[in-house]
Amino acid sequence: RPMKLKTKRTIAAVGLLGLVGVGLAVHTGTGTPSAWGIGDIAAICPLGAVEAAIASRTIVPPLLIGLVIVAVLVALAGRAFCAWGCPVPLLRRVFGIKERKADKPTPAERDGANDSRNWVLGATVLTTAAFGFPVFCLICPIGLTFATIVLVMRLFAFGDVAWGVILVPALLLAEVVFFRKWCSKFCPISALMSLVGKANRTFVPAIDNAKCRESAQGTSCEACAAVCPQGINVRHPEAGMSFSECTKCRACVEACPWHMPTVNPETG
């Protein structure tokens, strides 16, 4: 049987965590809880880069180059990191926390000022400027995941026992378990990627009218819309979220009776 997409996403996220762990272990590039590097090449958290520049009031070439690379990748692949690389969905699967329909965002909740993620993004920038350090990184579940990796590595490598070994994983677990709407309501990283992702025109789900039940058979289906975690309606885009919110998870493809591929609507 072909491997399920959920399994593929899990493998991708675990692989990314492993890659970060290796970078931190061997001290290559600029490995930190919010960035990993090999040699002189670093892939960084876009929000972390913005915070670092604001906090230091300095823009160094490596940071700027890394940020540009990440922006280009987001423009090409949209919010793919959210489905294929972010550790939050991975941890929720590990702890058996299933997504609820109520956790999905609605178009009204993504309407500019109504998008709470944008308010958190603005607060993140302002607090960084006010306090001179990236405040959000203290509670960011992605950063906390990498910080946990660092603490566990230090615990086993050097016997470094500190309160952080308990507090950091505990805070991460609390956010993953109790803040079920973190991704849809609070995550400023997803807000930033959604803004950059408005330029995304590739790997966008599209309907093949020759196969779709609604267009080819005149039968109501909407299986793709029902499973989309971002509330996107591929068949009727005007009734759902903007495609800039698409995480390329391909849940719509897996749910479609015809398994219609994800293609560029301009070419496909």
Side-chain angles (χ1 to χ4, degrees), residues 171-248:
L171 179 57
L172 173 62
L173 181 61
E175 290 183 357
V176 170
V177 174
F178 297 110
F179 288 85
R180 296 179 64 107
K181 294 188 177 182
W182 175 272
C183 298
S184 61
K185 293 285 190 179
F186 304 109
C187 183
I189 299 175
S190 71
L192 184 59
M193 287 194 291
S194 292
L195 293 174
V196 179
K198 291 184 183 300
N200 174 238
R201 296 293 184 273
T202 54
F203 308 108
V204 178
I207 294 294
D208 186 341
N209 289 319
K211 294 181 178 180
C212 181
R213 283 182 174 178
E214 289 200 20
S215 57
Q217 302 175 11
T219 303
S220 179
C221 179
E222 303 236 351
C224 54
V227 299
C228 179
Q230 303 305 320
I232 297 171
N233 191 322
V234 185
R235 174 72 268 180
H236 304 287
E238 71 285 352
M241 302 296 299
S242 167
F243 280 108
S244 64
E245 299 293 334
C246 181
T247 62
K248 322 301 180 187

Side-chain angles (χ1 to χ4, degrees), residues 44-56 58 63 67 121 125 128 192:
I44 61 177
C45 166
L47 184 57
V50 172
E51 290 180 281
I54 294 174
S56 64
T58 304
L63 183 149
L67 183 58
L121 176 60
V125 172
T128 300
L192 184 59

